[in-house]
Amino acid sequence: MQLPAGAVVATVLIEVVRISALPTERGVPYPGRVVAHWTGSEAAEALTLIEMLPGSEQHRCGFSPGWSIRAYEDSLDLALFEAAFCFRCHEVRMHGTVVPPVSATQFFDPDTPSAQALLARVRAATP
């Protein structure tokens, strides 16, 4: 999967969000509860897993993401990007100040080891 290159290097904090609904408009954060904060090696490992996600074809489910991650640089002001994952339709939707339009919607194979490891991490973070 393609993440904004500069954002990966600049990320110092990742929020893990358990999504409760879809946003009312494009480009706003996904509503939900922040269930974890990852920094240091935890954040780097999560970004590596996401970058390792191989592409896939779109499956239709209506896009019902369960989790998102929000990446922040050290100012912690605005998220560099947020990526919402739907493991049913294999879709990731990203938005943020550093996300080019061509990367806003991508598809991944949820059955790969990297996808399963990412899913296990976000599930483990959810109380």
Side-chain angles (χ1 to χ4, degrees):
M1 191 177 129
Q2 190 174 24
L3 290 176
V8 171
V9 173
T11 297
V12 298
L13 173 79
I14 290 178
E15 285 183 334
V16 181
V17 178
R18 180 65 169 131
I19 296 173
S20 58
L22 292 176
T24 55
E25 56 188 84
R26 277 207 178 269
V28 299
Y30 282 79
R33 184 170 44 116
V34 175
V35 296
H37 291 99
W38 295 337
T39 60
S41 63
E42 253 185 331
E45 289 168 9
L47 292 171
T48 298
L49 284 173
I50 294 167
E51 287 183 309
M52 291 172 51
L53 295 175
S56 177
E57 297 198 13
Q58 181 178 14
H59 293 258
R60 298 273 182 212
C61 87
F63 191 68
S64 181
W67 291 272
S68 77
I69 61 143
R70 294 181 190 138
Y72 293 88
E73 62 186 340
D74 53 0
S75 71
L76 302 178
D77 286 336
L78 295 174
L80 294 167
F81 69 90
E82 180 174 20
F85 297 85
C86 181
F87 282 79
R88 285 182 276 183
C89 67
H90 307 191
E91 187 172 340
V92 177
R93 292 186 186 171
M94 282 195 297
H95 64 90
T97 59
V98 298
V99 178
V102 298
S103 298
T105 301
Q106 298 181 51
F107 300 95
F108 70 101
D109 183 345
D111 297 320
T112 61
S114 54
Q116 289 300 302
L118 178 63
L119 182 59
R121 281 178 186 248
V122 296
R123 283 182 172 160
T126 307

